[in-house]
Amino acid sequence: TRTRTHARYNMSLYRLCKISVLVGTTTVAGALVFERQQKRARKWQHEALREFSRASYNAPPPEYSGPLFKPRLDFPSKPNPEGETFPWLDLDFKKEPERYLLAVRDYCLEGNTEQDFRVEENEVRGWYHIPWMSFLPTGREPIHGLTMERPAATGMLSDSQRHRLQTWAVAFYNAPGAFIIGNVWEKPWQPKLDGVVFPEGTIGFKLLFTEGSAEDVPYLKGTPVWKASIARQPEEPGDRGLPVEMRLIQMDVAIRDERADIGWVFGTFVYHSSHPHHAPWRRLVPVCLQWGNDPDLTVQRYQEGGRPAQTWNNPRVREMGILSGSRPYLGWLGRANGPVDNFKSCCASCHSTASVPDKNNTVPRAVPPSRPERPEELMRWFRNLKAGEPFEEGRKSMDYSQQLKSSIYQYNEWAKTHRPQTLLDKAALWWQRLLQVHPFPNAPLPSSGSNK
């Protein structure tokens, strides 16, 4: 009996030692996995920060020696740090649309035209850029930070336009808008995607340039000219050439104004040589203003004589040659849009689709389908969605900001090829979930196939 007891004791001791060795080995292995995960997380964060602030897709051409684009990304910690007042909020955009637009235009230009829109040098107020806009081939060029827009088909900009022309643009946000952008991108490797709603007073504006000459577009005579290293051909956006002359054609503005039916007011200006002002930038003429999508304005109603009730159009548009003979209106059925934009949509409609990309990095189409299955399907693109209301059920809204949507999209594309996905990472993820703790709270958990 004593022998059997001793044997059982030895067996128990053996098992205990075996378990101790296993636990010790596992603990050491787990610590090594954690250490490896921490190093990879730090590397991931460093690489994300570098791409987040990357100035351009392509390097400056060797022959170019002028100033280069510098993205301003030091976002404010408060929505209105300087306590600014916004003069357009004292104006009724429905009764005085042109005056309202001019107040916004002058606010956007002040301190920027003197510095050629190198906004980091603006001494009047802060303006900021959107990050993550240089990863894809359509991303920023190095001289002014322009990104590729939709090319203008023959005859789209004027009746004398004989060939397709490239369009490139750069956008800016004031402090209230930049505060929200900074919240979303507080961690360049882990965007916050919930509850994006810009505060009142936010302004985003975009300058659009065409490669066309004054012969192509006569009303551009005397317009501001920028050099830019754009694509040689729009079919190959990443194949950039020597700097070429790009002419200012259009300026778009998005104004967060609670009085609007959708919480936003959209406006478009076009440069026009007939304007008498001595300063070229002040020759940006108000073309249209929009505070809703006119959800009831269908094709049938338009054919019966109905016109937009939530859009103001400059009555001189056709007289000034801005509306070419190839297009029936600037925006769909007379809604607001600019000459470089697709007339099958409009400003507010396009921006209302701004959404967080899904797990496959797809987003709602910005322009309604040409041949919808049902007429009412088309009108889904012309609803009066409130600020922050998603375009599709189950999605998260980017609150009418296509620029912010694009930054999330480019981040996701980058993350597809840069996010750690080794067996060691998956083992670390399994171990962390097993313990239900995250030992490195400042590092993102590796995803199991998701690119977000």
Side-chain angles (χ1 to χ4, degrees), residues 182-400:
N183 281 348
V184 171
W185 287 112
E186 182 180 354
K187 295 180 180 179
W189 54 90
Q190 190 176 351
K192 297 178 183 176
L193 305 176
D194 294 317
V196 174
V197 179
F198 288 88
E200 189 168 47
T202 292
I203 280 193
F205 77 96
K206 182 166 67 172
L207 302 174
L208 296 102
F209 290 77
T210 176
E211 64 174 337
S213 66
E215 286 71 35
D216 297 311
V217 190
Y219 53 84
L220 295 187
K221 183 179 180 180
T223 190
V225 177
W226 280 0
K227 288 289 186 73
S229 180
I230 66 169
R232 301 175 197 272
Q233 297 293 331
E235 293 82 8
E236 297 290 339
D239 180 19
R240 310 290 175 88
L242 296 175
V244 299
E245 290 188 343
M246 302 291 290
R247 287 169 172 78
L248 175 70
I249 183 171
Q250 183 172 315
M251 173 174 157
D252 294 338
V253 294
I255 308 111
R256 184 75 168 86
D257 191 326
E258 291 283 4
R259 299 171 296 174
D261 295 308
I262 57 176
W264 286 89
V265 173
F266 292 91
T268 295
F269 302 82
V270 170
Y271 175 90
H272 206 279
S273 58
S274 67
H275 196 289
H277 203 288
H278 68 280
W281 285 99
R282 305 287 169 169
R283 296 178 196 150
L284 283 164
V285 177
V287 169
C288 55
L289 180 145
Q290 185 177 21
W291 57 93
N293 268 314
D294 280 285
D296 299 325
L297 183 59
T298 61
V299 173
Q300 181 178 342
R301 283 199 58 206
Y302 184 83
Q303 292 171 343
E304 293 170 351
R307 293 297 181 267
Q310 296 175 317
T311 290
W312 169 82
N313 285 303
N314 189 324
R316 297 183 56 238
V317 164
R318 196 172 288 279
E319 171 192 334
M320 292 188 294
I322 295 172
L323 184 60
S324 69
S326 68
R327 55 193 302 162
Y329 26 64
L330 287 173
W332 194 59
L333 304 183
R335 294 172 174 88
N337 240 359
V340 305
D341 302 317
N342 192 331
F343 66 80
K344 295 178 181 178
S345 184
C346 68
C347 298
S349 170
C350 172
H351 283 267
S352 73
T353 67
S355 308
V356 174
D358 63 17
K359 64 180 181 180
N360 298 316
N361 210 24
T362 61
V363 293
R365 56 181 299 158
V367 178
S370 300
R371 294 180 176 85
E373 294 181 5
R374 303 178 310 278
E376 56 268 26
E377 174 69 12
L378 181 68
M379 298 310 295
R380 287 184 60 242
W381 274 261
F382 299 96
R383 293 169 291 160
N384 279 347
L385 302 178
K386 301 296 183 183
E389 184 178 354
F391 181 78
E392 291 179 350
E393 186 176 352
R395 283 192 182 268
K396 296 176 182 178
S397 169
M398 286 286 96
D399 194 15
Y400 282 84

Side-chain angles (χ1 to χ4, degrees), residues 75-242:
F75 303 117
S77 58
K78 299 178 181 178
N80 191 2
E82 303 299 326
E84 272 195 288
T85 58
F86 307 111
W88 57 88
L89 294 179
D90 294 327
L91 300 173
D92 188 330
F93 54 77
K94 295 180 183 179
K95 294 181 179 179
E96 299 181 284
E98 199 162 2
R99 190 179 171 201
Y100 181 95
L101 281 172
L102 290 174
V104 171
R105 182 200 68 179
D106 293 345
Y107 174 90
C108 295
L109 298 183
E110 188 178 19
N112 280 328
T113 56
E114 298 86 345
Q115 307 298 341
D116 202 26
F117 290 84
R118 309 288 179 184
V119 295
E120 69 277 6
E121 301 175 11
N122 188 315
E123 297 179 356
V124 178
R125 64 179 55 90
W127 289 98
Y128 305 83
H129 300 100
I130 294 279
W132 284 103
M133 296 294 281
S134 297
F135 177 66
L136 294 179
T138 55
R140 297 193 189 279
E141 58 81 39
I143 300 176
H144 288 281
L146 303 177
T147 60
M148 185 182 230
E149 298 270 326
R150 177 173 176 264
T154 301
M156 183 175 167
L157 304 181
S158 73
D159 293 332
S160 59
Q161 180 194 347
R162 304 302 182 199
H163 53 95
R164 182 181 58 177
L165 298 170
Q166 290 191 62
T167 306
W168 289 65
V170 61
F172 313 87
Y173 277 87
N174 67 350
F179 169 73
I180 297 299
I181 297 165
N183 281 348
V184 171
W185 287 112
E186 182 180 354
K187 295 180 180 179
W189 54 90
Q190 190 176 351
K192 297 178 183 176
L193 305 176
D194 294 317
V196 174
V197 179
F198 288 88
E200 189 168 47
T202 292
I203 280 193
F205 77 96
K206 182 166 67 172
L207 302 174
L208 296 102
F209 290 77
T210 176
E211 64 174 337
S213 66
E215 286 71 35
D216 297 311
V217 190
Y219 53 84
L220 295 187
K221 183 179 180 180
T223 190
V225 177
W226 280 0
K227 288 289 186 73
S229 180
I230 66 169
R232 301 175 197 272
Q233 297 293 331
E235 293 82 8
E236 297 290 339
D239 180 19
R240 310 290 175 88
L242 296 175

